[in-house]
Each structure stands twice: as C-alpha cells, then as structure tokens.
Amino acid sequence: MSTITALSTTDVRFPTSRELDGSDAMNTDPDYSAAYVVLETDAQDGLEGHGFVFTIGRGNDVQAAAIQALAPFLVGRNVEKLLGNMGTTWRWLVHDSQLRWLGPEKGVMHMAIGAVVNALWDLKAKREGKPLWALLASMSPEELVDLVDFRYLSDALTREDALEILGRALPGRAARTEELLAKGYPAYTTTPGWLGYSDEKLSRLAAEAVKDGFTQIKLKVGADLADDIRRLRTARSVVGPDIKIAVDANQRWDVAEAIEWMSHLAEFDIAWIEEPTSPDDILGHAAIARGVHPIPVATGEHCQNRVLFKQFLQADALQVLQIDAARVAGVNENIAILLLAAKFGVRVCPHAGGVGLCEAVQHLSMFDFVAVSGTTEERYIEFVDHLHEHFVEPINVHSGAYWPPSVPGAGTQMIAQTLADFEFPNGVEWANDLALSGALSMNGNAGTTEA
Amino acid sequence: MSTITALSTTDVRFPTSRELDGSDAMNTDPDYSAAYVVLETDAQDGLEGHGFVFTIGRGNDVQAAAIQALAPFLVGRNVEKLLGNMGTTWRWLVHDSQLRWLGPEKGVMHMAIGAVVNALWDLKAKREGKPLWALLASMSPEELVDLVDFRYLSDALTREDALEILGRALPGRAARTEELLAKGYPAYTTTPGWLGYSDEKLSRLAAEAVKDGFTQIKLKVGADLADDIRRLRTARSVVGPDIKIAVDANQRWDVAEAIEWMSHLAEFDIAWIEEPTSPDDILGHAAIARGVHPIPVATGEHCQNRVLFKQFLQADALQVLQIDAARVAGVNENIAILLLAAKFGVRVCPHAGGVGLCEAVQHLSMFDFVAVSGTTEERYIEFVDHLHEHFVEPINVHSGAYWPPSVPGAGTQMIAQTLADFEFPNGVEWANDLALSGALSMNGNAGTTEA
C-alpha cells in the first residue's frame, strides 16, 4: 500500500519562435511549451508518474496553476486505489461539482485533468512494467469499457457497442502485436511544411522525407493563396505523384472561404484538408466536407472533448479524426474517442509534434491497432522532428514508421536537466536572454493587430 | 491622455453551500464565487473598471490567475486607445497567437478575457456617464458592428446582415427607451425552485413569487423523477394555471433520457426545459427539441462562445437562447450572440443569479430591446434573490420586472468591504471557520463518487 506524496508542476518553455519551427497561418510565433506535472509516491519502487499539457508559450503558467489546483485531489490518496480503478478516478476528477463549472470539460481545466490522468497512467504502466500501449492492449474488453464515461455519448455509442467493438478485435490481438513489432506503425511528416520555411528549405526537407521512407507529407496553408499554390507545386514536383500531400489551414478560414480556397489547391491531389475553420464548428466542417468532396476533411487536435467528437462523427463533418494526447482529459477520454471512431468506421490519424505529443500519442494508435480498430490502413501518426532529445524515451521513427516503445511507461517523461534548463523564466535557457527575446514583455509579441 | 496603471484580481467566495442556495442536480454544493478584476488608471477622474468571472468555488483561484495573465496586455496601455476601439481591443485579446492555444475561445482563458473586456466596458460607461445599456443603445449601427468579430460567423451572420438588423431597430430606439423606463424589463424567478429546498419552502416561495408580480418561475429537476413530479404538482397547485413554470435539468441527462423524463413532466404545462444535456451537444439538443416538442428547449449559460451559439441556431437546437454575462468573452461577444438570435428570430432569456450575473446581464437585454430585437415578447431575465447586497448598484427588481439602472457603468462593481471580507482564504468570512467548512481540504467535498 502506498500514497501519493507530492504533485509538482514546472513551466517548461522552448524558445522555438526564434527559428519559426512550428509556424503556421494562425500560430505565427510559438514557443513550444509544457505545463509539466510529476506525481511522487512513498512506495519503495521510487517510480513517478509524469504528464503534461502542451501549449505554445504565454499562458503556460495558467495551465500549470490549473494542474496545481488538482493537488488536493491526489496528495495523500492511496495509489493502488487510484490506479486500480482508473474509470472511477477519471470521473471523480472530471465531474467534481465545483471545478466542472470552469469548463465544463473543456479548456484549461480539462487539459489540466488530462495531464494528471496521463501521469497516473504513466505511473500505472511503469508499475506494471509495460509500455502504455501494451498495458492497454492487455486489458479485457470489460476492463477497457470501465475506463470510459458514456455520459453524453449514449445516443451514438453505448457500453454494449463498445464491448462488441473490443470483443471483435480480441482474437486478433496477438497476431497484430507481432505485426506491429515487425512493421511499426505508419507515420507521415510535417517537418518540411512549416509556413515560415523558404521554398529551398521546403524542397530539401520534402526530398529528405521521401528518402526517409515517408509516404505522406503535410504543408501548412491558408495565409496567402499564391504562396500556397507555389509551395504545393514545388512540393509535388519534388515528391512525385505517388507521395501523398496533406494540407493544414490551422483554423484560418470561414466556411465559404475554405471551399473557395481549396478549389484552387485541388489540382495538387490533396490527401486531406486539416482544420479548415474553427475547431468548434461541427456544422461548418460538415458544409466544408460537402463542398470540397472528395478531399477528406481532418480535424481534432483542438477538439475539446468526446461530446464534440461524437457530433463531428454524427454529422459526417470529418473523414480523418485527429486525436491529441494532451487536449482532452487524458488516456481515458481518448479511448472513448477511439471507440467512437471505430463505431463510425472513421480512420484516426493522430496530431503530434509540439512537445512530447509524438512520444505520448503513439501509444494510443498502437493500442487502437491491436485492440480496437484492428487496422492501420490509410492511418498515419504525425511526425515532427522537434524536441525529442528532451525525453527519457524519445520516439523511434525510421523507414516511415513509428517503432513500438518497449520501456515501461506512457512516454511522457522529460529529462531532468531539460526541466531545470528550460524552466520559465528562471532556467538558464531563458534567464540569460529574456530581455532579448521579449517573452515577458508584450513588445512586438502580441498575436494580431495591437490595440 | 491616460494609462492603465494596474490590473488587480481578488478570489472572492461566498459560503453558499452551507444553505444549499443554488443547489441543483449537477451543482450539489456550490460556493458562489467571483474571480474579480479591477483596472486602475492614472486619470484624474479616479474611475476604475470592474469585472468578474462567476464560478462556484474550487478553481476560482485558477480563474483569477488567468485574468492576472492578461495584465501585460493592459498595464501601461493608453486608455483612450483601448476604449476608443473596443472591437480592435477584443480581437487583440482573443486572437493572441499564443494564448489562444489554451482554448481556443473557451473555458478558463476565454472567461478571463470576458472579465477584462467587461471591466473595460465598465470603465468606458463610467467615463461617458451612462449605464452600459444606454451607452450601447446610443451607438450607431456601424459602431456596434465594429465591436463584433464575424470570423467563423459569416455562414450565418454577415456584417451586412447585422447592419440591416440594427438599422431596422434604429427609428424605434427613442420610443422603446421610454417604454423601458416606464414598464421595466420582464423578469422570471428561480428563487423558489432550488433542489435542496423542502416542499414547504418551495410552496411558500412560489406563492411569494406570484404575489411579487412574477409571471414565470423555474424549478430545478433531474435528480429524481418522483421528486420532480411531486414538486411540479406542488408548484402548479400553488401558482395556478396562468403562471408559467420552466424546468432546468442542469445537464443531467443523455438524449433519450431527456425525452423520456420530460414525457412525464409535460402534463404540468412546462414553459421550457433548460440544459437537458451537455451544453456542448448541439445535435443532442436538436434531437431533444424534436422529441419534447412543443416544449421549447433552452440553453446557453454554459455555451462557450458565438461559434457554438451559431450552430445551436442553425440546427434549431434551442428555442430559448440564454446568454450569460460572464461565460463568453464579454460584452462584444454577447452583442454578436444577440445579433445571431435576432437573425434567426429566436428569443433571448438571459441566465442570471450567481454572483452579479443579474447586475451585469440586465444591461444586455435592455440594449437588445432598445437597439437590436426591439421586443420583450415572451422574454424574461432570470432573477435570483442572492448576494445583491454586495454590489455598489444592486439590481432593482419589483412588480415582476427589472428596472433600468441609471448609474454610469456596467453594474459589475462590488462593495470594497465585501472584497475584503469574502476574499478566499484570508477574508474574515473564511478565515474564522475554514477548518469547519472543509473548503480547502477534499474531505467530503469532492463532487461525485470518490476514488
């Protein structure tokens, strides 16, 4: 029997805006950041649970404060009881009668719960000596559905539906695990396509992507139509006709504008249009999907919870569902979303990149392949080659695939030195040149038109 | 020319859970709270801008931290420039390229922006010597549409649509202002209907409501069907057939459950069913609206932004739109929502109660009557008789109506002594008995099933 003795948070930020890595039509100057949480226990094993919310700079302190607000829920609690029934633990955190007013189930408070839930899963996987994907894939269908909160889902997915989906996949689990270990899980790369990159850099990185075995790349679009056409022509000429090219507008357009803009890009054989408009606009995405057909619409990285995903599926508003490891309330809610996607027969291609999103989300796709959807057909996990060196178990991506992690845990643990060096604003990476970067002042740092 | 010199926040909480005021099927033990903000300037007039986010206890500190994170956007800025173009100011805050990741446009960060925007409007109204409703009703249609961000709305409401709506109402403004001053704005009362009240208290308060001139009351439902039937029978027998009775399930049900449950309550002649399910579930509300027809469906107090409201209207998912003064990003976004409602011909009956929501939202309905929809037909502002004594200009409700405030400002300013006494956890109202109330520990204070 052991007890949680501490919940600590760190505001970790990487000065990525200096290089325009991660730049797109909406996110012009991101400083990739993590509101990071560590759970400690008094157990002799010395194991900790690590989790985080990914943000892009300002507000990372608010996100960390929200995680800290969950300390009274966990510190002093029995670890075995918390981890032994993660469904109950999830509901206890998400449905707290006072905290839920701050969402409900969306935004800063919901993501904070996600970080803590993921840290608990990290601890649980470490205790059981398994990587998270294998831990989840070893659980029975009944144990898995117990993790899911079906509240607000029952008009689209019931507990019985979920049991049927998981039961159907049960016999093939062993064979698919072998297949996963032998072939990896398909990846696509966004590395060439950031909006701030020159055409020369785009060409070079696109060629490297093909050489590295990727069969799909993704380009950011939406700031300037002429630029988009030129960059797509460049990319297509470099990769040839057999490599897929997806595009991502990062919520830049209204409905009519999205349809019009995409009509000019269709000639480049677009694999999907991602985030054409507000991530909240289910009916707008449905209209866009009809308007850009047969180009599939992809969205999900900013989708706030399972209730929105349910409606996107009900309305046929997305054809590619992009889960994110750190947007919703953690592993449990993502399992609900994977089950919804399976029920509606829609493919899941996770959003990744950021800080640690690749490390975390790969577990969910691998679990999905082994125990839920049973397929990797036309499915890819996003790959962005940023910041992996800061993780204790960085992703292993080569030959166009993610290779399954074998180390116990959820992949969410950063190197201790990174936490110290990039702590904002006191870590050495910030303290030395904060005046220069302007990250604490608003001079030249505000997003759009200044007042 | 003047400058904003300080943005300060206070975590104000009222120990309402001790009396079960405000209790309902989801919010079983609320401590009504405000994350409160004051903007100070160096102008000689000594005027301040006051605003707040309403919460129900835990997490109010997180909300205050989010407001504090906006200080670098405002402190040191020119006041006349900020107030002179509130549309630009709004966009600058809402579309900050880094902060928006924390929503986008939802939850803790969006509500924080709402508090600051409302504080700016409070300051602007005080400077112009007008109550907010009169200030807004004195602006030209062009000035008003400049306040609205039409991004993500254009498939339902364009700038031209909004100008037409406002232009149509222009000739009648003076007459309706006179009518408003003479007759007030209709109110309904929730005071009798809290779930924690005994049948005796319900009867007594319902009878008082009728005597006080209210023509509609509202009862909380959704925890226990037999209780709901008994309480509705009691209420109906007290108020007679001519008083409207609305019911509010506070998000308790799934879709099928809502339709089934309401079939048992329909005999009591229900004025509307409020928040039958998740506030995020547009398609679910649309299905419920079809299923409970002709009972109207009401929702909005937890509706996160104008993009969700747009879809609720597009899908005919609500027949009564309930704006809230402190959920979306302040006055500007609520004007967008009022315009959407006018475009779709749907009536607006604001959510109020809480802390200061009545004081704030009355300005929006009065402005709507004078300058947007031009009608109060079947429209009522919610009235709950709680905590008004803490405001510098408490609402004036009598004869079943809200009477228009005449004091300059947005109605959002609390009494200084209240801010001191109810500051959590150090104000005298908390410090003396915090051990007793358990508000800082989780013992017996967690919302649902404990882990």
Side-chain angles (χ1 to χ4, degrees):
Chain A
M1 298 289 278
S2 57
T3 300
I4 294 187
T5 52
L7 179 158
S8 60
T9 53
T10 311
D11 178 350
V12 189
R13 306 192 195 187
F14 300 94
T16 47
S17 63
R18 296 178 198 163
E19 300 292 329
L20 293 186
D21 296 340
S23 56
D24 62 50
M26 290 292 268
N27 310 300
T28 49
D29 60 346
D31 284 324
Y32 278 12
S33 302
Y36 196 83
V37 59
V38 179
L39 299 175
E40 293 172 54
T41 83
D42 58 9
Q44 292 304 308
D45 58 19
L47 297 173
E48 298 172 340
H50 291 237
F52 57 83
V53 177
F54 169 60
T55 81
I56 59 173
R58 278 187 292 282
N60 201 49
D61 49 339
V62 176
Q63 191 60 64
I67 296 172
Q68 200 63 57
L70 297 166
F73 287 75
L74 294 170
V75 176
R77 294 268 155 188
N78 178 282
V79 181
E80 289 74 23
K81 210 169 156 192
L82 285 170
L83 299 184
N85 193 336
M86 282 293 289
T88 301
T89 299
W90 190 89
R91 280 185 285 272
W92 178 60
L93 291 166
V94 171
H95 298 310
D96 176 68
S97 68
Q98 295 188 355
L99 280 183
R100 76 181 296 280
W101 192 272
L102 299 182
E105 300 190 40
K106 61 183 66 75
V108 166
M109 205 62 236
H110 201 56
M111 294 193 283
I113 292 170
V116 166
V117 166
N118 286 348
L120 288 167
W121 277 105
D122 184 51
L123 180 58
K124 183 176 167 83
K126 286 170 178 166
R127 283 190 163 206
E128 303 201 16
K130 290 176 182 160
L132 177 63
W133 69 268
L135 167 61
L136 294 173
S138 73
M139 293 172 75
S140 72
E142 289 74 17
E143 287 172 323
L144 288 167
V145 296
D146 284 346
L147 301 174
V148 172
D149 185 0
F150 290 93
R151 172 174 272 186
Y152 304 142
L153 295 188
S154 65
D155 54 326
L157 178 79
T158 63
R159 185 181 168 89
E160 293 64 42
D161 294 335
L163 281 172
E164 192 191 314
I165 290 164
L166 295 166
R168 217 183 303 141
L170 200 54
R173 282 189 186 183
R176 285 192 298 274
T177 301
E178 274 181 48
E179 188 183 335
L180 179 66
L181 294 168
K183 297 185 182 173
Y185 194 106
Y188 79 90
T189 177
T190 307
T191 298
W194 300 104
L195 215 51
Y197 288 180
S198 68
D199 288 9
E200 183 280 323
K201 192 167 181 181
L202 163 62
S203 296
R204 176 167 52 81
L205 293 173
E208 278 175 27
V210 176
K211 216 183 71 192
D212 290 345
F214 293 101
T215 56
Q216 176 171 314
I217 64 171
K218 189 169 79 185
L219 267 59
K220 301 290 183 174
V221 297
D224 181 277
L225 180 58
D227 282 351
D228 290 350
I229 292 172
R230 193 191 70 252
R231 294 170 72 251
L232 274 165
R233 183 164 291 131
T234 301
R236 181 54 80 201
S237 77
V238 169
V239 302
D242 297 333
I243 300 294
K244 293 178 193 232
I245 304 179
V247 297
D248 183 353
N250 290 90
Q251 315 170 23
R252 185 61 179 254
W253 302 317
D254 277 27
V255 172
E257 191 182 9
I259 296 168
E260 159 69 14
W261 196 296
M262 286 306 298
S263 72
H264 299 286
L265 306 186
E267 62 170 304
F268 300 106
D269 189 14
I270 302 299
W272 72 57
I273 168 59
E274 179 171 327
E275 287 206 311
T277 191
S278 163
D280 302 344
D281 198 348
I282 298 146
L283 300 179
H285 278 83
I288 293 168
R290 291 189 297 272
V292 305
H293 183 82
I295 299 172
V297 169
T299 192
E301 70 179 270
H302 282 85
C303 187
Q304 65 206 38
N305 60 33
R306 69 202 182 287
V307 180
L308 266 280
F309 274 116
K310 176 188 77 167
Q311 295 174 81
F312 272 101
L313 291 163
Q314 288 173 319
D316 200 11
L318 57 75
Q319 290 73 47
V320 179
L321 189 153
Q322 301 181 298
I323 57 169
D324 183 288
R327 174 68 59 183
V328 300
V331 170
N332 298 55
E333 189 159 11
N334 267 319
I335 293 174
I337 295 162
L338 291 173
L339 286 164
L340 280 165
K343 171 80 186 290
F344 282 84
V346 166
R347 60 185 164 126
V348 176
C349 297
H351 171 249
V355 176
L357 298 180
C358 300
E359 278 73 12
V361 86
Q362 61 177 339
H363 290 272
L364 297 169
S365 276
M366 292 172 188
F367 157 67
D368 176 78
F369 171 53
V370 174
V372 186
S373 75
T375 177
T376 59
E377 203 181 319
E378 284 207 279
R379 290 165 185 245
Y380 313 86
I381 305 169
E382 184 168 21
F383 168 64
V384 189
D385 199 6
H386 290 164
L387 306 172
H388 303 296
E389 65 276 19
H390 299 293
F391 283 79
V392 172
E393 296 300 331
I395 49 167
N396 178 15
V397 171
H398 64 80
S399 314
Y402 276 76
W403 296 86
S406 56
V407 173
T412 42
Q413 184 165 350
M414 273 192 206
I415 291 168
Q417 194 62 47
T418 290
L419 292 177
D421 291 352
F422 290 90
E423 194 263 313
F424 185 88
N426 300 314
V428 293
E429 296 283 344
W430 287 104
N432 291 344
D433 58 357
L434 207 52
L436 213 80
S437 79
L440 273 183
S441 85
M442 292 300 306
N443 298 325
N445 212 14
T448 50
T449 324
E450 282 204 32
Chain B
M1 296 289 278
S2 57
T3 300
I4 294 186
T5 51
L7 180 158
S8 59
T9 54
T10 310
D11 179 350
V12 189
R13 306 192 195 187
F14 300 93
T16 48
S17 62
R18 297 177 197 164
E19 300 292 328
L20 294 186
D21 295 341
S23 57
D24 61 50
M26 290 293 267
N27 309 301
T28 49
D29 60 346
D31 285 323
Y32 278 12
S33 303
Y36 195 83
V37 60
V38 179
L39 299 175
E40 292 171 55
T41 83
D42 58 8
Q44 292 304 307
D45 57 19
L47 297 174
E48 298 172 340
H50 291 237
F52 57 81
V53 177
F54 168 59
T55 83
I56 59 173
R58 278 187 290 284
N60 201 49
D61 50 338
V62 176
Q63 190 61 64
I67 296 172
Q68 200 63 58
L70 297 167
F73 286 75
L74 293 170
V75 176
R77 294 269 154 188
N78 178 281
V79 181
E80 289 73 24
K81 209 167 156 192
L82 285 169
L83 300 184
N85 194 337
M86 282 294 289
T88 301
T89 299
W90 190 90
R91 281 185 283 273
W92 178 58
L93 292 166
V94 171
H95 298 310
D96 176 68
S97 68
Q98 294 187 355
L99 280 184
R100 77 182 295 282
W101 192 271
L102 300 182
E105 300 191 39
K106 62 181 67 74
V108 166
M109 205 62 236
H110 201 55
M111 294 192 285
I113 292 170
V116 166
V117 166
N118 285 349
L120 288 167
W121 277 104
D122 183 51
L123 179 59
K124 184 177 168 81
K126 286 170 178 167
R127 284 191 164 206
E128 304 202 14
K130 292 177 183 159
L132 178 63
W133 69 269
L135 168 62
L136 294 173
S138 73
M139 294 172 74
S140 72
E142 289 72 19
E143 287 171 325
L144 289 167
V145 297
D146 284 347
L147 301 174
V148 172
D149 186 0
F150 291 93
R151 173 174 272 186
Y152 304 142
L153 294 188
S154 64
D155 54 325
L157 178 79
T158 63
R159 185 181 168 88
E160 292 67 39
D161 295 336
L163 281 172
E164 193 191 316
I165 291 164
L166 294 165
R168 217 182 302 142
L170 199 53
R173 282 189 187 184
R176 284 192 298 273
T177 300
E178 273 180 49
E179 186 184 338
L180 179 65
L181 293 168
K183 297 185 181 172
Y185 195 106
Y188 78 91
T189 177
T190 307
T191 297
W194 299 106
L195 215 52
Y197 287 180
S198 68
D199 288 9
E200 183 279 322
K201 191 168 182 179
L202 163 62
S203 295
R204 177 167 50 81
L205 294 174
E208 278 176 26
V210 177
K211 215 183 71 192
D212 290 346
F214 293 101
T215 57
Q216 176 171 314
I217 65 171
K218 190 169 78 184
L219 267 60
K220 301 291 182 174
V221 298
D224 181 276
L225 180 58
D227 281 351
D228 290 350
I229 292 172
R230 193 191 70 253
R231 294 172 71 250
L232 274 165
R233 183 164 290 131
T234 301
R236 181 54 81 201
S237 77
V238 169
V239 303
D242 297 333
I243 299 295
K244 294 179 192 230
I245 303 179
V247 297
D248 183 354
N250 289 90
Q251 315 169 22
R252 184 61 181 255
W253 302 316
D254 277 27
V255 172
E257 191 181 11
I259 297 168
E260 159 69 14
W261 196 297
M262 286 306 299
S263 72
H264 299 286
L265 306 186
E267 62 170 303
F268 300 106
D269 188 14
I270 302 297
W272 70 59
I273 167 60
E274 179 170 330
E275 288 206 312
T277 190
S278 163
D280 302 343
D281 199 349
I282 299 146
L283 300 179
H285 278 83
I288 292 167
R290 291 190 297 272
V292 304
H293 184 83
I295 298 173
V297 169
T299 191
E301 70 179 88
H302 282 86
C303 188
Q304 67 206 36
N305 60 34
R306 70 203 181 287
V307 181
L308 266 280
F309 274 115
K310 176 188 76 168
Q311 295 173 81
F312 273 100
L313 291 164
Q314 288 174 319
D316 201 11
L318 57 76
Q319 289 73 48
V320 179
L321 189 153
Q322 300 180 300
I323 57 169
D324 182 287
R327 174 67 60 181
V328 300
V331 169
N332 298 56
E333 188 159 11
N334 268 320
I335 292 174
I337 295 162
L338 292 173
L339 286 164
L340 279 165
K343 172 79 185 287
F344 283 84
V346 166
R347 60 185 165 129
V348 176
C349 297
H351 171 250
V355 176
L357 298 179
C358 300
E359 277 73 12
V361 87
Q362 61 177 339
H363 290 273
L364 298 169
S365 276
M366 292 172 187
F367 158 67
D368 176 78
F369 171 53
V370 174
V372 186
S373 74
T375 178
T376 59
E377 203 181 322
E378 285 207 276
R379 290 164 186 244
Y380 313 86
I381 306 169
E382 183 167 21
F383 168 63
V384 188
D385 199 5
H386 289 164
L387 304 172
H388 302 296
E389 65 275 20
H390 299 293
F391 283 79
V392 172
E393 296 300 331
I395 49 168
N396 179 16
V397 172
H398 64 79
S399 315
Y402 276 75
W403 295 86
S406 57
V407 173
T412 42
Q413 184 165 351
M414 274 192 205
I415 291 168
Q417 194 63 46
T418 289
L419 293 177
D421 292 350
F422 290 90
E423 194 263 312
F424 185 89
N426 299 315
V428 293
E429 296 283 344
W430 287 105
N432 291 343
D433 58 358
L434 207 52
L436 213 81
S437 80
L440 271 183
S441 86
M442 293 301 306
N443 298 324
N445 212 13
T448 52
T449 324
E450 281 205 34

